[in-house]
Coordinates of all heavy atoms in Angstrom, one line a residue:
L1 N -7.1 9.9 -15.4 CA -6.6 8.6 -16.0 C -7.1 7.5 -15.3 O -7.0 7.4 -14.1 CB -5.0 8.7 -15.9 CG -4.1 7.7 -16.5 CD1 -4.3 7.9 -18.1 CD2 -2.7 7.7 -16.2
G2 N -7.8 6.6 -15.9 CA -8.4 5.5 -15.3 C -7.6 4.3 -15.6 O -6.6 4.2 -16.4
Y3 N -8.0 3.1 -15.0 CA -7.3 1.9 -15.2 C -7.3 1.4 -16.6 O -6.1 1.0 -17.1 CB -8.1 0.8 -14.4 CG -7.5 -0.6 -14.4 CD1 -6.4 -0.9 -13.7 CD2 -8.0 -1.6 -15.3 CE1 -5.9 -2.2 -13.7 CE2 -7.5 -2.9 -15.3 CZ -6.3 -3.1 -14.6 OH -5.7 -4.4 -14.5
A4 N -8.2 1.6 -17.4 CA -8.3 1.2 -18.9 C -7.3 2.0 -19.7 O -6.8 1.6 -20.7 CB -9.6 1.4 -19.4
D5 N -6.9 3.2 -19.2 CA -5.9 4.0 -19.8 C -4.4 3.6 -19.6 O -3.6 4.1 -20.2 CB -6.2 5.5 -19.5 CG -7.5 6.0 -19.8 OD1 -8.0 5.7 -20.9 OD2 -8.2 6.7 -18.9
L6 N -4.2 2.9 -18.5 CA -2.9 2.5 -18.2 C -2.4 1.5 -19.3 O -3.1 0.7 -19.9 CB -2.9 1.8 -16.8 CG -3.3 2.7 -15.7 CD1 -3.4 1.8 -14.4 CD2 -2.3 3.8 -15.6
G7 N -1.1 1.4 -19.3 CA -0.4 0.4 -20.2 C -0.4 -0.9 -19.5 O -0.8 -1.1 -18.4
K8 N 0.0 -2.0 -20.3 CA -0.1 -3.3 -19.8 C 0.7 -3.5 -18.5 O 0.1 -4.1 -17.6 CB 0.4 -4.3 -21.0 CG 0.3 -5.7 -20.6 CD 0.8 -6.6 -21.8 CE 0.7 -8.0 -21.4 NZ 1.1 -8.9 -22.4
E9 N 1.8 -2.9 -18.5 CA 2.8 -3.2 -17.3 C 2.2 -2.4 -16.1 O 2.2 -3.0 -14.9 CB 4.2 -2.7 -17.6 CG 5.2 -3.1 -16.5 CD 5.4 -4.7 -16.2 OE1 5.1 -5.4 -17.2 OE2 5.5 -5.0 -15.0
D10 N 1.6 -1.3 -16.3 CA 1.0 -0.6 -15.2 C -0.3 -1.2 -14.7 O -0.5 -1.2 -13.5 CB 0.8 0.9 -15.5 CG 2.1 1.8 -15.7 OD1 3.0 1.5 -15.0 OD2 2.0 2.8 -16.4
R11 N -1.0 -1.9 -15.6 CA -2.2 -2.6 -15.1 C -1.8 -3.7 -14.3 O -2.5 -4.0 -13.3 CB -3.0 -3.0 -16.3 CG -3.9 -1.8 -16.9 CD -4.9 -2.4 -17.9 NE -4.3 -3.2 -19.0 CZ -4.0 -2.9 -20.2 NH1 -4.0 -1.6 -20.5 NH2 -3.5 -3.8 -21.0
R12 N -0.7 -4.4 -14.8 CA -0.2 -5.6 -14.0 C 0.3 -5.2 -12.6 O 0.0 -5.8 -11.6 CB 0.9 -6.3 -14.8 CG 1.5 -7.4 -14.0 CD 2.4 -8.3 -14.9 NE 3.2 -9.3 -14.1 CZ 2.7 -10.2 -13.4 NH1 1.5 -10.5 -13.3 NH2 3.6 -11.1 -12.7
R13 N 0.9 -4.0 -12.5 CA 1.4 -3.5 -11.3 C 0.3 -3.2 -10.4 O 0.2 -3.5 -9.2 CB 2.2 -2.3 -11.5 CG 3.0 -1.8 -10.3 CD 3.9 -0.6 -10.6 NE 5.0 -1.2 -11.5 CZ 5.3 -0.7 -12.6 NH1 4.6 0.3 -13.2 NH2 6.3 -1.2 -13.4
V14 N -0.8 -2.5 -10.9 CA -1.9 -2.2 -10.1 C -2.6 -3.5 -9.6 O -3.0 -3.6 -8.4 CB -3.0 -1.4 -10.9 CG1 -4.3 -1.3 -10.2 CG2 -2.4 0.0 -11.1
K15 N -2.7 -4.5 -10.4 CA -3.3 -5.8 -10.1 C -2.5 -6.5 -9.0 O -3.1 -7.0 -7.9 CB -3.4 -6.8 -11.3 CG -4.5 -7.9 -11.1 CD -5.0 -8.4 -12.3 CE -6.0 -9.5 -12.0 NZ -6.4 -10.1 -13.2
M16 N -1.2 -6.4 -9.0 CA -0.3 -7.0 -8.0 C -0.5 -6.3 -6.6 O -0.6 -6.9 -5.5 CB 1.2 -6.9 -8.4 CG 1.6 -7.9 -9.5 SD 3.1 -7.5 -10.2 CE 4.1 -8.3 -9.1
L17 N -0.6 -5.0 -6.7 CA -0.6 -4.2 -5.4 C -2.1 -4.3 -4.9 O -2.3 -4.5 -3.6 CB -0.5 -2.7 -5.6 CG 1.1 -2.3 -6.0 CD1 1.1 -0.9 -6.5 CD2 1.9 -2.6 -4.9
S18 N -3.1 -4.5 -5.7 CA -4.5 -4.7 -5.2 C -4.6 -6.1 -4.6 O -5.3 -6.3 -3.6 CB -5.5 -4.5 -6.3 OG -5.5 -5.5 -7.3
A19 N -3.9 -7.1 -5.1 CA -3.9 -8.4 -4.5 C -3.4 -8.4 -3.0 O -3.9 -9.0 -2.2 CB -3.1 -9.4 -5.4
I20 N -2.2 -7.7 -2.9 CA -1.7 -7.6 -1.5 C -2.5 -6.8 -0.7 O -2.7 -7.1 0.4 CB -0.3 -6.9 -1.6 CG1 0.8 -7.8 -2.4 CG2 0.3 -6.6 -0.3 CD1 2.0 -7.1 -2.9
L21 N -3.1 -5.6 -1.1 CA -4.0 -4.8 -0.3 C -5.3 -5.6 0.1 O -5.7 -5.4 1.3 CB -4.4 -3.5 -1.1 CG -5.2 -2.5 -0.4 CD1 -4.5 -2.1 0.9 CD2 -5.4 -1.3 -1.3
R22 N -5.8 -6.4 -0.8 CA -7.0 -7.1 -0.4 C -6.7 -8.1 0.8 O -7.5 -8.1 1.7 CB -7.5 -8.0 -1.6 CG -8.3 -7.2 -2.6 CD -8.6 -8.0 -3.8 NE -9.2 -9.3 -3.5 CZ -10.5 -9.4 -3.4 NH1 -11.4 -8.4 -3.5 NH2 -11.1 -10.6 -3.2
I23 N -5.6 -8.6 0.9 CA -5.2 -9.5 1.9 C -5.0 -8.6 3.3 O -5.4 -9.0 4.3 CB -3.9 -10.4 1.7 CG1 -4.3 -11.4 0.6 CG2 -3.4 -11.1 2.9 CD1 -3.2 -12.2 0.1
A24 N -4.2 -7.5 3.1 CA -4.0 -6.7 4.2 C -5.2 -6.2 4.8 O -5.4 -6.1 6.0 CB -3.1 -5.6 3.8
D25 N -6.2 -5.7 3.9 CA -7.5 -5.3 4.4 C -8.2 -6.3 5.2 O -8.9 -6.1 6.2 CB -8.3 -4.8 3.2 CG -9.6 -4.0 3.7 OD1 -9.5 -3.3 4.6 OD2 -10.7 -4.5 3.2
G26 N -8.2 -7.7 4.7 CA -8.8 -8.7 5.3 C -8.2 -9.0 6.7 O -8.9 -9.4 7.6
L27 N -6.9 -8.7 6.8 CA -6.2 -8.9 8.1 C -6.5 -7.9 9.1 O -6.1 -8.0 10.3 CB -4.7 -9.1 7.9 CG -4.3 -10.4 7.2 CD1 -2.8 -10.3 6.9 CD2 -4.7 -11.6 8.1
D28 N -7.3 -6.9 8.7 CA -7.8 -5.8 9.7 C -9.3 -5.8 9.7 O -9.8 -4.7 9.7 CB -7.1 -4.4 9.4 CG -7.4 -3.5 10.5 OD1 -7.4 -3.9 11.6 OD2 -7.5 -2.3 10.2
R29 N -9.9 -6.8 9.3 CA -11.4 -6.9 9.1 C -12.2 -6.3 10.3 O -13.2 -5.6 10.0 CB -11.8 -8.3 8.9 CG -13.4 -8.6 8.8 CD -13.9 -7.9 7.6 NE -15.3 -8.1 7.4 CZ -16.3 -7.4 7.9 NH1 -16.0 -6.4 8.7 NH2 -17.5 -7.7 7.8
S30 N -11.8 -6.6 11.5 CA -12.5 -6.0 12.6 C -12.1 -4.6 12.9 O -12.7 -4.0 13.8 CB -12.3 -6.9 13.9 OG -11.0 -6.8 14.3
H31 N -11.1 -4.1 12.3 CA -10.6 -2.7 12.6 C -10.2 -2.5 14.0 O -10.2 -1.5 14.6 CB -11.6 -1.6 12.1 CG -12.0 -1.8 10.8 ND1 -11.2 -1.5 9.6 CD2 -13.1 -2.1 10.2 CE1 -11.8 -1.7 8.6 NE2 -13.0 -2.1 8.8
A32 N -9.7 -3.7 14.7 CA -9.2 -3.6 16.0 C -7.6 -3.6 16.1 O -7.2 -3.7 17.2 CB -9.8 -4.6 16.9
A33 N -6.9 -3.6 14.9 CA -5.6 -3.7 14.9 C -5.0 -4.9 15.7 O -4.0 -4.8 16.5 CB -5.0 -2.4 15.4
L34 N -5.6 -5.9 15.5 CA -5.1 -7.3 16.2 C -3.8 -7.9 15.7 O -3.1 -8.6 16.4 CB -6.2 -8.3 16.1 CG -7.6 -7.9 16.7 CD1 -8.6 -9.0 16.4 CD2 -7.4 -7.6 18.2
V35 N -3.5 -7.6 14.5 CA -2.3 -8.0 14.0 C -1.1 -7.0 14.1 O -1.3 -5.9 13.6 CB -2.4 -8.4 12.3 CG1 -1.1 -8.8 11.8 CG2 -3.5 -9.5 12.2
D36 N -0.1 -7.4 14.8 CA 1.0 -6.4 15.1 C 2.1 -6.6 14.0 O 2.7 -5.4 13.8 CB 1.5 -6.7 16.5 CG 0.5 -6.5 17.6 OD1 -0.1 -5.5 17.6 OD2 0.5 -7.3 18.5
E37 N 2.5 -7.7 13.6 CA 3.6 -7.9 12.7 C 3.2 -9.0 11.7 O 2.5 -9.9 12.0 CB 4.8 -8.3 13.4 CG 5.5 -7.2 14.2 CD 6.7 -7.8 14.9 OE1 7.1 -8.9 14.7 OE2 7.4 -6.9 15.5
I38 N 3.8 -9.0 10.5 CA 3.6 -9.9 9.5 C 5.0 -10.3 8.9 O 5.8 -9.3 8.5 CB 2.7 -9.6 8.3 CG1 1.4 -9.1 8.9 CG2 2.6 -10.6 7.3 CD1 0.4 -8.6 7.8
H39 N 5.4 -11.5 9.0 CA 6.6 -11.9 8.3 C 6.2 -12.9 7.2 O 5.4 -13.8 7.3 CB 7.4 -12.7 9.3 CG 7.9 -11.9 10.4 ND1 9.0 -11.2 10.3 CD2 7.5 -11.7 11.7 CE1 9.2 -10.5 11.5 NE2 8.2 -10.8 12.3
V40 N 6.8 -12.6 6.0 CA 6.5 -13.5 4.9 C 7.6 -14.5 4.7 O 8.8 -14.2 4.5 CB 6.5 -12.5 3.6 CG1 6.2 -13.4 2.3 CG2 5.4 -11.4 3.8
I41 N 7.2 -15.7 4.5 CA 8.1 -16.9 4.6 C 7.8 -17.7 3.2 O 6.8 -18.2 3.2 CB 7.9 -17.7 5.8 CG1 8.1 -17.0 7.1 CG2 8.9 -18.9 5.7 CD1 7.7 -17.6 8.3
P42 N 8.7 -17.6 2.4 CA 8.5 -18.6 1.2 C 8.4 -20.0 1.6 O 9.3 -20.5 2.4 CB 9.8 -18.4 0.4 CG 10.4 -17.1 0.8 CD 10.0 -17.0 2.3
D43 N 7.5 -20.7 1.1 CA 7.2 -22.0 1.5 C 6.9 -22.9 0.3 O 5.7 -23.3 0.0 CB 6.0 -22.0 2.5 CG 5.7 -23.3 3.1 OD1 6.5 -24.2 2.9 OD2 4.7 -23.5 3.8
G44 N 7.9 -23.2 -0.5 CA 7.7 -24.0 -1.8 C 6.9 -23.1 -2.8 O 7.2 -22.1 -3.2
E45 N 5.6 -23.7 -3.1 CA 4.8 -23.1 -4.1 C 3.9 -22.0 -3.4 O 3.1 -21.5 -4.1 CB 4.0 -24.2 -4.8 CG 4.8 -25.1 -5.6 CD 5.4 -24.3 -6.8 OE1 4.7 -23.6 -7.5 OE2 6.7 -24.5 -7.1
A46 N 4.1 -21.9 -2.1 CA 3.2 -21.0 -1.4 C 4.0 -19.9 -0.7 O 5.2 -20.0 -0.6 CB 2.3 -21.7 -0.3
L47 N 3.3 -19.0 -0.1 CA 3.9 -18.0 0.9 C 3.2 -18.2 2.2 O 1.9 -18.2 2.2 CB 3.7 -16.6 0.4 CG 4.6 -16.2 -0.8 CD1 4.2 -14.6 -1.1 CD2 6.1 -16.3 -0.5
T48 N 3.9 -18.3 3.2 CA 3.3 -18.3 4.6 C 3.4 -17.0 5.2 O 4.5 -16.4 5.2 CB 4.0 -19.3 5.5 OG1 3.9 -20.7 5.0 CG2 3.4 -19.3 6.9
L49 N 2.3 -16.4 5.6 CA 2.3 -15.1 6.3 C 2.2 -15.5 7.8 O 1.2 -16.0 8.3 CB 1.0 -14.3 5.9 CG 1.0 -14.0 4.5 CD1 -0.2 -13.1 4.2 CD2 2.3 -13.2 3.9
E50 N 3.2 -15.2 8.5 CA 3.4 -15.5 10.0 C 2.9 -14.2 10.7 O 3.6 -13.2 10.6 CB 4.7 -15.9 10.4 CG 4.8 -16.3 11.8 CD 6.1 -16.9 12.2 OE1 7.1 -15.9 12.3 OE2 6.3 -18.1 12.2
L51 N 1.9 -14.3 11.4 CA 1.3 -13.1 12.1 C 1.6 -13.2 13.5 O 1.3 -14.2 14.2 CB -0.3 -13.1 11.7 CG -0.8 -13.4 10.4 CD1 -2.2 -13.6 10.4 CD2 -0.3 -12.3 9.5
S52 N 1.9 -12.0 14.1 CA 2.0 -11.8 15.5 C 0.7 -11.2 15.8 O 0.4 -10.0 15.3 CB 3.2 -11.1 15.9 OG 4.4 -11.7 15.7
A53 N 0.0 -11.7 16.7 CA -1.5 -11.1 17.0 C -1.6 -11.0 18.4 O -1.0 -11.6 19.3 CB -2.5 -12.1 16.5
N54 N -2.5 -9.9 18.8 CA -2.8 -9.6 20.2 C -4.2 -10.0 20.6 O -4.9 -9.3 21.3 CB -2.3 -8.3 20.6 CG -3.1 -7.2 19.7 OD1 -4.3 -7.4 19.4 ND2 -2.3 -6.2 19.4
G55 N -4.9 -11.0 19.9 CA -6.2 -11.2 20.2 C -6.7 -12.3 19.3 O -5.9 -12.9 18.5
D56 N -7.9 -12.6 19.3 CA -8.6 -13.6 18.4 C -8.7 -13.1 17.0 O -9.4 -12.0 16.7 CB -9.9 -13.8 19.0 CG -10.7 -14.9 18.2 OD1 -10.1 -15.4 17.2 OD2 -11.9 -15.3 18.5
V57 N -7.9 -13.7 16.0 CA -7.9 -13.2 14.6 C -8.6 -14.2 13.7 O -8.4 -14.1 12.5 CB -6.5 -13.0 14.2 CG1 -5.9 -11.8 14.9 CG2 -5.7 -14.3 14.4
D58 N -9.6 -14.9 14.3 CA -10.4 -15.9 13.4 C -11.1 -15.1 12.2 O -11.1 -15.6 11.0 CB -11.3 -16.8 14.2 CG -10.5 -17.7 15.1 OD1 -9.4 -18.1 14.9 OD2 -11.3 -18.3 16.0
L59 N -11.7 -14.1 12.5 CA -12.4 -13.3 11.5 C -11.4 -12.7 10.5 O -11.7 -12.8 9.3 CB -13.2 -12.2 12.2 CG -14.0 -11.2 11.2 CD1 -15.0 -12.1 10.3 CD2 -14.7 -10.1 11.9
E60 N -10.3 -12.2 11.0 CA -9.3 -11.7 10.1 C -8.7 -12.8 9.1 O -8.6 -12.6 7.9 CB -8.2 -11.0 10.9 CG -8.5 -9.6 11.3 CD -9.5 -9.7 12.5 OE1 -9.8 -10.7 13.1 OE2 -9.9 -8.5 12.9
L61 N -8.5 -13.9 9.6 CA -7.9 -15.1 8.9 C -8.9 -15.6 7.8 O -8.6 -15.7 6.6 CB -7.5 -16.2 9.8 CG -6.3 -15.9 10.6 CD1 -6.1 -17.1 11.6 CD2 -5.0 -15.8 9.9
Y62 N -10.2 -15.6 8.3 CA -11.2 -16.1 7.4 C -11.3 -15.1 6.2 O -11.3 -15.5 5.0 CB -12.5 -16.1 8.0 CG -13.8 -16.4 7.1 CD1 -13.9 -17.7 6.7 CD2 -14.6 -15.4 6.8 CE1 -15.0 -18.0 5.7 CE2 -15.6 -15.6 5.9 CZ -15.9 -16.9 5.4 OH -16.9 -17.1 4.6
T63 N -11.4 -13.8 6.5 CA -11.6 -12.7 5.4 C -10.3 -12.7 4.5 O -10.5 -12.7 3.4 CB -11.9 -11.4 6.1 OG1 -12.9 -11.5 7.0 CG2 -12.1 -10.4 5.1
A64 N -9.1 -12.7 5.2 CA -8.0 -12.7 4.3 C -7.9 -13.8 3.4 O -7.5 -13.6 2.2 CB -6.8 -12.5 5.2
G65 N -8.2 -15.1 3.9 CA -8.1 -16.3 3.1 C -9.1 -16.1 1.9 O -8.8 -16.6 0.8
R66 N -10.3 -15.6 2.2 CA -11.3 -15.4 1.1 C -10.8 -14.4 0.1 O -11.3 -14.5 -1.1 CB -12.7 -15.0 1.6 CG -13.2 -16.0 2.7 CD -14.4 -16.7 2.3 NE -15.4 -16.0 1.5 CZ -16.2 -16.6 0.6 NH1 -16.2 -17.8 0.5 NH2 -17.0 -15.9 -0.1
R67 N -10.0 -13.4 0.5 CA -9.6 -12.4 -0.4 C -8.2 -12.7 -1.1 O -7.7 -11.8 -1.9 CB -9.5 -11.1 0.3 CG -10.8 -10.6 0.8 CD -10.7 -9.2 1.5 NE -12.1 -8.8 1.8 CZ -12.2 -7.7 2.5 NH1 -11.2 -6.9 2.8 NH2 -13.4 -7.3 2.9
A68 N -7.7 -13.9 -0.9 CA -6.5 -14.3 -1.5 C -6.6 -14.8 -2.9 O -5.5 -15.0 -3.6 CB -5.8 -15.3 -0.6
D69 N -7.7 -14.8 -3.5 CA -8.0 -15.3 -4.8 C -7.2 -14.6 -5.9 O -6.6 -15.2 -6.7 CB -9.4 -15.4 -5.1 CG -10.1 -14.0 -5.1 OD1 -9.7 -13.1 -4.3 OD2 -11.3 -13.8 -5.7
I70 N -7.2 -13.3 -5.8 CA -6.5 -12.5 -6.8 C -5.0 -12.6 -6.6 O -4.2 -12.7 -7.7 CB -6.9 -11.0 -6.7 CG1 -8.3 -10.8 -7.2 CG2 -6.0 -10.1 -7.7 CD1 -8.9 -9.5 -7.1
F71 N -4.6 -12.7 -5.5 CA -3.1 -13.0 -5.1 C -2.7 -14.3 -5.9 O -1.7 -14.4 -6.5 CB -2.8 -13.1 -3.6 CG -1.4 -13.2 -3.3 CD1 -0.7 -12.0 -3.0 CD2 -0.7 -14.3 -3.3 CE1 0.7 -12.1 -2.7 CE2 0.7 -14.5 -2.9 CZ 1.3 -13.4 -2.7
R72 N -3.4 -15.4 -5.6 CA -3.1 -16.6 -6.2 C -3.0 -16.5 -7.8 O -2.1 -17.1 -8.5 CB -4.1 -17.7 -5.9 CG -4.1 -18.1 -4.5 CD -5.1 -19.2 -4.2 NE -5.3 -19.4 -2.7 CZ -6.2 -18.9 -2.1 NH1 -7.2 -18.2 -2.7 NH2 -6.3 -19.0 -0.7
E73 N -3.9 -15.7 -8.3 CA -4.0 -15.6 -9.8 C -2.8 -14.8 -10.3 O -2.1 -15.2 -11.3 CB -5.3 -14.8 -10.2 CG -5.4 -14.5 -11.7 CD -6.6 -13.5 -11.8 OE1 -7.7 -13.7 -11.2 OE2 -6.5 -12.6 -12.8
V74 N -2.5 -13.7 -9.6 CA -1.4 -12.8 -10.1 C -0.1 -13.4 -9.8 O 0.8 -13.2 -10.6 CB -1.6 -11.5 -9.4 CG1 -0.4 -10.5 -9.7 CG2 -2.8 -10.8 -9.9
F75 N 0.2 -13.9 -8.7 CA 1.4 -14.4 -8.3 C 1.6 -15.8 -8.6 O 2.8 -16.4 -8.4 CB 1.8 -14.0 -6.9 CG 1.9 -12.5 -6.6 CD1 0.8 -11.8 -6.1 CD2 3.0 -11.9 -6.9 CE1 1.0 -10.5 -5.8 CE2 3.2 -10.6 -6.7 CZ 2.1 -9.9 -6.2
G76 N 0.6 -16.6 -8.8 CA 0.8 -18.0 -9.0 C 1.2 -18.8 -7.9 O 1.8 -19.9 -7.9
R77 N 0.9 -18.3 -6.7 CA 1.3 -18.9 -5.4 C 0.1 -18.9 -4.4 O -0.6 -17.9 -4.4 CB 2.4 -18.2 -4.7 CG 3.8 -18.2 -5.6 CD 4.8 -17.6 -4.8 NE 5.6 -18.5 -4.2 CZ 6.8 -18.4 -3.6 NH1 7.3 -17.2 -3.8 NH2 7.4 -19.4 -2.9
D78 N 0.0 -19.9 -3.6 CA -1.0 -20.0 -2.6 C -0.4 -19.2 -1.4 O 0.7 -18.9 -1.3 CB -1.3 -21.5 -2.2 CG -2.5 -21.6 -1.4 OD1 -3.4 -20.7 -1.4 OD2 -2.8 -22.7 -0.8
V79 N -1.4 -18.8 -0.5 CA -1.1 -18.1 0.7 C -1.6 -18.9 1.9 O -2.7 -19.4 1.9 CB -1.8 -16.7 0.7 CG1 -1.5 -16.0 2.0 CG2 -1.5 -15.9 -0.5
K80 N -0.6 -19.1 2.8 CA -1.0 -19.8 4.1 C -0.8 -18.8 5.2 O 0.0 -17.8 5.1 CB 0.0 -20.9 4.3 CG -0.1 -22.0 3.2 CD 1.0 -23.0 3.5 CE 1.0 -24.1 2.4 NZ 2.0 -25.2 2.7
F81 N -1.5 -19.0 6.4 CA -1.4 -18.2 7.5 C -1.0 -18.9 8.7 O -1.5 -20.1 8.9 CB -2.7 -17.3 7.8 CG -3.2 -16.6 6.6 CD1 -4.1 -17.3 5.6 CD2 -2.8 -15.3 6.5 CE1 -4.6 -16.4 4.6 CE2 -3.3 -14.5 5.4 CZ -4.2 -15.2 4.5
R82 N -0.1 -18.3 9.5 CA 0.2 -19.0 10.8 C 0.3 -17.9 11.8 O 0.7 -16.8 11.6 CB 1.7 -19.6 10.7 CG 2.2 -20.2 11.9 CD 3.4 -21.1 11.7 NE 4.5 -20.4 11.0 CZ 5.3 -21.0 10.1 NH1 5.3 -22.3 9.9 NH2 6.2 -20.2 9.5
V83 N -0.3 -18.2 13.0 CA -0.5 -17.2 14.0 C 0.4 -17.4 15.2 O 0.4 -18.5 15.7 CB -2.0 -17.0 14.5 CG1 -2.1 -16.0 15.6 CG2 -2.9 -16.8 13.3
K84 N 1.2 -16.4 15.6 CA 1.9 -16.4 16.8 C 1.2 -15.3 17.8 O 1.4 -14.2 17.6 CB 3.5 -16.1 16.5 CG 4.1 -17.1 15.8 CD 5.4 -16.7 15.3 CE 6.3 -16.4 16.4 NZ 7.7 -16.1 16.1
K85 N 0.6 -15.8 18.8 CA -0.1 -14.8 19.6 C 0.8 -14.2 20.7 O 1.6 -14.8 21.1 CB -1.2 -15.5 20.4 CG -2.3 -15.9 19.4 CD -3.7 -16.3 20.0 CE -4.6 -16.8 19.0 NZ -5.4 -15.7 18.4
G86 N 0.7 -12.9 20.8 CA 1.3 -12.1 22.0 C 2.9 -12.1 21.8 O 3.5 -11.9 22.8
E87 N 3.5 -12.3 20.6 CA 4.9 -12.4 20.4 C 5.4 -11.1 19.6 O 6.5 -11.2 19.2 CB 5.3 -13.6 19.9 CG 5.0 -14.8 20.7 CD 5.6 -16.1 20.2 OE1 6.6 -16.1 19.4 OE2 5.0 -17.2 20.5
A88 N 4.6 -10.1 19.4 CA 5.0 -8.9 18.6 C 6.0 -8.2 19.5 O 6.0 -8.1 20.7 CB 3.8 -8.1 18.3
K89 N 7.0 -7.4 18.9 CA 8.0 -6.6 19.4 C 7.6 -5.2 19.4 O 6.9 -4.8 18.5 CB 9.2 -6.9 18.7 CG 9.8 -8.3 18.8 CD 11.0 -8.5 18.0 CE 11.4 -10.0 18.2 NZ 12.6 -10.3 17.5

């Protein structure tokens, strides 16, 4: 069963999940597990992803931001990132 064989609702579900996965993959761009926690905070027309990090996550933020395009399209909301270093539990 391929994507084209899915019904409209299932295709939408796959697109939503892939949008989230693209951001998550971007947040582990260096594969160094620098992001310990993520809190999702509704912020008007956007969502703020508050990250607890244990190192320099500039590459991860850049990559996740570039991969947020499908998220914006599917959910109709922008994504913002805020980093709290060394505060993971």
